[in-house]
Amino acid sequence: MSSRVFRPVRVGRRTPSSRSAGPGDAAAAGRRGGGRRRADRRVRTRHAVRRSRRAVGRGNDRADPALRDRVRHRPHEASTTASASASVSAAPRTSVPAARNGSAAATATPGAKPSRDSATAAPAAVPGPGYDASADARKQIDAALRAAKADGRMVLIDFGANWCGNCKAADKVFAQPRTAATLGASYHLVKVDIGGNDSANSAQLRKYSPSGGTYTMPVLVVVSPTGTIRTDTHVTGNPSLTPDGIDSFLREWAS
C-alpha cells in the first residue's frame, strides 16, 4: 500500500499562478502607473518651486519666469526670509523722506508752549543813561509789570541818581552791546530817580526794597511778572559794576 498522503483540493479554487489577467486588471495597472507618474510630477514641481522661491528671495532674475511669477503672486508661498528682508529694506526708504519733510516737527504735541515767551518776542527797549526826575515811577513800574505778564520777562528796577558815580558806571555797562542784548531779551528795565526830594519815587523804593536803612546806590531790584521781589541788592550787595559782574547778575536772575 502506498505511503503517500493526498491533500484534498477544493473544486473551483484558482491559484494566483493559474489566474488569467482580465480587462479589469489591465485598467487597474494603468491607474496605478498613472498615479505614480502624477506623484512624480508633483514632486518635481515642488522641487522646482522651492528652487525658484530661493532664487526670488535672493533677487536672482535667472529663476524660472513662470514659477517666479507664481511665487511672487502667491505671498503665502513666499519664504519668511524674503518677506522679512523686503520689509526691513523698505523701512529706511519710507522714513528718510519723512525726516526731510520735517515730520518730526509735525508730530510735536499740539498746544505746547515755550517756558518763556520772551525767547521769540522782540527785544524790550533799554532806556538810555541817566534818570528822569520828572517821570512818574509808579506808572513806569506798573507798565513794565503788565508787559512782563504778557511776554514772561523779568522787571529790573534801577534806583539811582544822576550825580551818583556808581550809577554812571552801571549806565556805561548797560549801554554795551552784550549787556544791552541781555537786558532786551530778558528784562524790562525801569530807572527811578531817588536823588532828589520826590517822595513818590522814595515810596516806590521803600515798596520794592522794604528793609530800610541807608541805601547804597544804585539799588537793583528784580521783580517777577507776578510782582514778587526776587532779589534786592540793598540786601545782597551790588555786583561788580563791570561788564562781567553785571552780565553774571543779569543771567542769574533772568529765569
Side-chain angles (χ1 to χ4, degrees):
M1 185 173 177
S2 177
S3 60
R4 293 181 180 180
V5 178
F6 294 93
R7 294 181 180 178
V9 177
R10 184 179 297 174
V11 178
R13 182 180 180 182
R14 292 183 179 180
T15 60
S17 60
S18 63
R19 183 180 178 182
S20 60
D25 295 332
R31 286 194 296 271
R32 285 194 296 271
R36 283 194 296 271
R37 286 192 295 273
R38 285 193 296 273
D40 292 341
R41 284 197 298 270
R42 286 196 294 268
V43 171
R44 289 194 296 271
T45 300
R46 283 198 295 269
H47 288 320
V49 169
R50 289 172 184 168
R51 288 194 298 270
S52 293
R53 184 183 302 162
R54 289 193 293 270
V56 171
R58 290 192 293 266
N60 189 353
D61 292 334
R62 297 179 61 185
D64 185 355
L67 295 175
R68 183 177 59 212
D69 295 338
R70 177 181 176 184
V71 172
R72 287 179 176 173
H73 287 88
R74 297 180 67 179
H76 61 279
E77 293 184 358
S79 63
T80 305
T81 305
S83 61
S85 62
S87 62
V88 171
S89 61
R93 288 195 295 269
T94 55
S95 60
V96 169
R100 290 176 180 173
N101 292 334
S103 63
T107 58
T109 304
K113 295 181 179 180
S115 57
R116 287 177 57 86
D117 294 336
S118 61
T120 56
V126 179
Y131 301 84
D132 185 359
S134 63
D136 189 327
R138 183 179 63 81
K139 289 183 178 180
Q140 287 181 325
I141 295 173
D142 289 347
L145 287 173
R146 286 193 299 271
K149 288 180 181 179
D151 59 25
R153 291 182 172 95
M154 299 295 130
V155 175
L156 175 61
I157 308 175
D158 174 9
F159 295 97
N162 290 321
W163 46 262
C164 168
N166 287 338
C167 300
K168 293 178 181 180
D171 275 347
K172 290 181 180 179
V173 176
F174 289 159
Q176 293 190 8
R178 185 179 68 177
T179 307
T182 303
L183 283 171
S186 303
Y187 293 92
H188 292 282
L189 175 60
V190 180
K191 307 187 74 175
V192 180
D193 179 33
I194 56 171
N197 296 322
D198 192 326
S199 59
N201 289 0
S202 298
Q204 293 301 309
L205 173 63
R206 290 190 297 271
K207 177 181 178 179
Y208 291 100
S209 181
S211 58
T214 303
Y215 292 87
T216 300
M217 295 184 291
V219 178
L220 302 177
V221 180
V222 177
V223 184
S224 72
T226 60
T228 302
I229 298 172
R230 302 193 65 203
T231 188
D232 174 9
T233 60
H234 178 56
V235 177
T236 63
N238 275 326
S240 173
L241 300 178
T242 62
D244 289 340
I246 291 182
D247 285 348
S248 177
F249 172 82
L250 295 176
R251 287 194 300 270
E252 179 181 0
W253 298 104
S255 59

